[in-house]
Amino acid sequence: MKNTENLVVVHLSATAVYVVIGSVYSATDIRIMGVGRVKNSDFYQGKIKHRERLQGAIKQAIQEAEDTANCRVHSVWLTLATPELASKNSAGNVSVEDDVVSAKDMVQALSNAKSQDLSSDYYLMHCCQQGIYIDDQEFMVDDAIEMVADKINVMYHMMMMPVASRQNIQKLLQSCDVGIDHIVFDAVTSAEYSLIKEERQQGVCLVDIGASTTSICVYKENKLIFTHCLATGSHEVTMDISADFGISMIDAERLKKSHGTADIHSLDPSSFFTFKPQGPNDDINVNIYNLARIIEARYVRIFTEVACHLHEADLIGYIDRGIVLTGGGSAIKGMIPFAKKLLKMRVVMTNMHPAISAHDHFENDEAFKHINTQINDRAFHTAFGTLLYSQSEQFRHSEQSEPEAIQQARVKGVFQSAGQRLSKVLKKIL
C-alpha cells in the first residue's frame, strides 16, 4: 500500500472561491477527493472588498469539499494573484562553518538574501530556489546539502507582498477555522499544471488571464526567473461590452461567451444577430464584427502590457517556446490566432494534466461523477496545479531554505553523522 498525503488547496479569484482536497500518491498520481466552488466577487485584484461575504464563501466552499471527501479540513495551501506582488531575483552568500553544507547553511542563505532585498513592510509570500553555486564553480547545482564546500551562493526568485495584506489574508483564513501551510503565487501553480519540462528548459512565458488580474511567469533552463501580476483581466472586456451596448454586466458576460471572439479576421463585417437581454428590455441587433472589435481592443491592451514587461526585463530572447495561455480569460473564441498575430511568436493553450484524476473509492456515484466533471473545468487548474507543485522538485529544493529544514535535518542527523565525518576527512586529505 502506497503512503498517501491528503492536501487541501484554497484558490481565491475575483469570481469565486475554489477548494480542492487531493490525495497525493506520487507526483504523477494525484486523486481528487473533494471540490468546492462558491461564486463570490469580494476578492478583487488581490484585495478583500467585503470581508464578511468572502469569509462566508470560503467557509461554504470548504464545507462543500469536506462533504464530498468525507473529511475535516484544518490547514490549507492558499493560492492567489495580487498586483501588489513585488518580485526579484536574489542571492544569499554563506561561509560554510563545518566544511560540509548543512540545512543550517541553507536557511542562513535565504535569511541573508531576505536581509538585503526584503524591506520591512513586505512579507516573503513565496520563494523559488534557482540553484546553488559551490565555492568558485561556474555551474549551479540543485542540492548542496552534505557537499564539501567553503562557501555557497544560493540563487532565489523572491515573490513578496505587503505585510498588512498578508496579515489580512491570514486573519481571514483563521476566521474560517483553518491555518495556512503555504501561500503561493497563482501563476507558479498554474505553470505547474500547464507547462511541460521541455518548455521550462528551453524558455517559456506562462500568461494566466483571470477576471481581475493577469499573472505572468517566465522559466528558462527549468528555473523560474520572472513573475509579475497586472491589475487587468477579462472583467474589463465585459465592462467594455456593457458600456458600448448599454446592457447589464450579466448580459454583457453572456453576450461575450455566446458570440464573442478575439479574432476579427474570421468574421463577416456585414453579419448581424439578435440578442435578447434579460428582463423587459427590447431585443438589440448586434453587429458581430463590432462586438469583436471591442473585445480585441481590450485584449490588445492586456497583451501589449505583458509584452512591455517582458521587454523591460529583457526576456523576449529567452522564451524560445513562446507563450502558454491559461485562465478563464484566455478561453474566449479566436484567442490563439489573435495572440499569434499580435505577438508574432508561438502561442498555445494549456492542455489537461495526466496526473490529475478523480478518486475512485466513492460509495456515492454522483460525487464521483461530479468530481470527474470538475477535473475538466479550466477554473480548477490553478488549484490542481498547487497539488502538483507540492510534489515538485522546485518546491522540495526551495523548502531546504525554510527554518523547518533544520529540525528535519536533526532527525536524520544520527544516520548521517558518519558520512559527514568522512566528508571532512576527505576535504582535509584533498
Side-chain angles (χ1 to χ4, degrees):
M1 183 72 181
K2 290 182 179 179
N3 292 325
T4 62
E5 180 182 14
N6 292 340
L7 296 177
V8 184
V9 178
V10 172
H11 172 49
L12 298 181
S13 81
T15 56
V17 175
Y18 300 91
V19 177
V20 168
I21 301 175
S23 186
V24 179
Y25 286 75
S26 70
T28 58
D29 185 6
I30 296 176
R31 306 175 195 181
I32 307 305
M33 301 170 59
V35 293
R37 168 167 43 188
V38 176
K39 289 184 178 180
N40 180 273
S41 57
D42 293 305
F43 188 76
Y44 194 82
Q45 293 184 341
K47 291 284 191 179
I48 301 170
K49 291 174 61 180
H50 193 294
R51 189 179 186 278
E52 189 175 343
R53 285 198 302 252
L54 183 56
Q55 178 193 50
I58 294 171
K59 284 185 174 181
Q60 185 181 341
I62 289 174
Q63 185 67 56
E64 286 182 9
E66 286 178 333
D67 290 345
T68 310
N70 192 26
C71 69
R72 179 80 173 88
V73 171
H74 299 286
S75 63
V76 304
W77 285 56
L78 179 66
T79 180
L80 55 86
T82 172
E84 292 184 315
L85 178 81
S87 62
K88 184 177 180 63
N89 293 319
S90 183
N93 288 289
V94 172
S95 295
V96 179
E97 292 183 5
D98 299 323
D99 296 331
V100 176
V101 180
S102 66
K104 180 181 176 182
D105 296 317
M106 295 299 297
V107 172
Q108 186 60 50
L110 180 57
S111 178
N112 292 347
K114 290 196 304 187
S115 67
Q116 65 186 14
D117 287 320
L118 185 65
S119 61
S120 60
D121 56 342
Y122 268 75
Y123 173 86
L124 185 59
M125 175 179 80
H126 184 195
C127 179
C128 288
Q129 181 182 297
Q130 297 169 322
I132 308 159
Y133 287 104
I134 297 176
D135 294 332
D136 296 320
Q137 292 179 1
E138 295 183 357
F139 59 90
M140 288 193 295
V141 299
D142 292 327
D143 189 349
I145 289 180
E146 295 189 36
M147 294 185 72
V148 174
D150 293 322
K151 61 183 178 179
I152 56 171
N153 187 17
V154 188
M155 314 300 291
Y156 301 100
H157 183 75
M158 297 168 57
M159 291 155 276
M160 303 160 279
M161 68 186 296
V163 169
S165 297
R166 170 64 169 84
Q167 290 173 336
N168 287 332
I169 290 288
Q170 184 169 353
K171 288 180 178 179
L172 174 66
L173 269 293
Q174 286 174 343
S175 71
C176 298
D177 301 319
V178 293
I180 299 175
D181 293 327
H182 300 278
I183 298 183
V184 191
F185 179 43
D186 73 352
V188 177
T189 60
S190 293
E192 198 65 40
Y193 186 97
S194 304
L195 303 180
I196 60 176
K197 186 175 181 180
E198 289 77 9
E199 288 171 333
R200 295 168 186 266
Q201 183 65 32
Q202 295 172 23
V204 67
C205 175
L206 178 110
V207 178
D208 185 343
I209 305 176
S212 69
T213 57
T214 297
S215 300
I216 311 165
C217 61
V218 176
Y219 288 83
K220 183 69 173 181
E221 295 182 4
N222 211 29
K223 314 293 184 186
L224 178 65
I225 60 174
F226 178 82
T227 53
H228 192 72
C229 184
L230 309 177
T232 184
S234 62
H235 183 71
E236 290 175 279
V237 179
T238 307
M239 292 173 64
D240 293 344
I241 295 171
S242 173
D244 275 66
F245 287 99
I247 57 178
S248 69
M249 288 290 290
I250 293 175
D251 284 328
E253 183 71 14
R254 189 161 58 91
L255 179 58
K256 179 180 74 174
K257 289 182 175 179
S258 62
H259 291 86
T261 180
D263 183 19
I264 62 173
H265 301 286
S266 64
L267 301 175
D268 178 0
S270 63
S271 178
F272 284 79
F273 65 92
T274 301
F275 179 77
K276 182 173 178 56
Q278 292 181 348
N281 300 317
D282 294 334
D283 294 358
I284 58 174
N285 286 323
V286 177
N287 180 280
I288 195 167
Y289 188 80
N290 287 341
L291 173 62
R293 288 183 63 185
I294 295 168
I295 294 169
E296 182 199 51
R298 178 58 64 178
Y299 278 111
V300 165
R301 292 184 187 180
I302 292 174
F303 280 107
T304 298
E305 195 169 349
V306 169
C308 283
H309 283 285
L310 295 177
H311 275 291
E312 287 172 7
D314 198 24
L315 291 171
I316 294 295
Y318 288 91
I319 50 176
D320 296 339
R321 292 295 293 266
I323 287 177
V324 175
L325 294 179
T326 188
S330 66
I332 194 164
K333 297 172 188 172
M335 175 56 76
I336 296 301
F338 157 76
K340 283 182 177 178
K341 184 176 179 63
L342 178 69
L343 299 171
K344 295 180 174 58
M345 66 173 66
R346 175 183 182 266
V347 181
V348 298
M349 200 73 74
T350 182
N351 294 316
M352 305 302 296
H353 198 289
I356 303 294
S357 64
H359 199 283
D360 60 357
H361 296 295
F362 289 100
E363 295 180 4
N364 186 339
D365 288 341
E366 287 301 315
F368 181 65
K369 289 178 182 177
H370 174 64
I371 291 176
N372 249 330
T373 301
Q374 306 309 316
I375 284 174
N376 296 318
D377 190 337
R378 285 183 177 273
F380 280 94
H381 286 186
T382 299
F384 294 154
T386 309
L387 295 173
L388 292 163
Y389 180 75
S390 73
Q391 304 303 303
S392 68
E393 287 190 11
Q394 173 69 83
F395 175 66
R396 182 169 58 83
H397 292 145
S398 299
E399 215 179 10
Q400 292 177 342
S401 295
E402 296 298 322
E404 292 80 5
I406 296 177
Q407 183 61 37
Q408 292 170 2
R410 285 173 182 159
V411 173
K412 298 176 183 177
V414 174
F415 303 100
Q416 295 175 346
S417 58
Q420 290 176 350
R421 287 195 297 270
L422 178 61
S423 295
K424 290 179 182 179
V425 171
L426 289 173
K427 173 74 172 178
K428 291 176 180 177
I429 294 173
L430 295 171

